[in-house]
Amino acid sequence: QVRLVESGGGSVQAGGSLTLSCVAYGDIYSQYSTGWFRQAPGTEREAVAVINRGDSATYYSDSVKGRFTISRDFAKNTVTLQMNSLKNEDTAMYYCAASGSWYAGLVVSNYNHWGQGTQVTVSS
């Protein structure tokens, strides 16, 4: 099993930046696809950015393309989400997740391991 711990959330003004970090405990994490997801009140959880294990391909939701960047450090067992040009609509609880599928993509149901979340609030 893998335990995931997020950090880096907080409050920021629109147009600002935040960096979210996720540390995974459990070496098997290196064999997983991993990424970031978010959920705002009254909405379904959605994928934000992921890295497939199989081919290291990255995928982003249309709403964050060009603004967010996901990166992975296998040596540190971490995955990071750099968020720039933040908008009010980015306000949500952000979750780090991992999947045993090597090609998990942006499909939320493919992810079986979840962190507790870190809140991101963007104000204008």
Side-chain angles (χ1 to χ4, degrees):
Q1 293 297 108
V2 171
R3 182 168 67 92
L4 304 170
V5 182
E6 305 98 333
S7 63
S11 298
V12 65
Q13 292 190 20
S17 299
L18 282 175
T19 301
L20 305 184
S21 296
C22 175
V23 178
Y25 298 90
D27 289 342
I28 194 65
Y29 174 72
S30 66
Q31 299 298 309
Y32 289 172
S33 298
T34 190
W36 291 92
F37 303 76
R38 68 187 182 188
Q39 187 168 20
T43 71
E44 295 186 2
R45 189 168 299 185
E46 64 175 349
V48 176
V50 302
I51 299 179
N52 278 347
R53 174 62 179 86
D55 57 2
S56 297
T58 58
Y59 298 90
Y60 297 89
S61 68
D62 289 339
S63 63
V64 308
K65 286 180 180 177
R67 300 189 297 119
F68 292 8
T69 303
I70 188 170
S71 60
R72 184 174 192 171
D73 189 330
F74 283 97
K76 296 181 179 179
N77 252 26
T78 60
V79 63
T80 299
L81 185 68
Q82 176 65 50
M83 305 186 294
N84 298 322
S85 301
L86 284 161
K87 305 174 181 179
N88 289 343
E89 63 199 83
D90 295 317
T91 295
M93 184 72 73
Y94 283 72
Y95 299 90
C96 177
S99 172
S101 173
W102 278 28
Y103 300 93
L106 295 167
V107 181
V108 176
S109 62
N110 284 344
Y111 292 79
N112 301 317
H113 306 277
W114 296 86
Q116 293 299 305
T118 185
Q119 179 68 40
V120 172
T121 302
V122 183
S123 62
S124 59

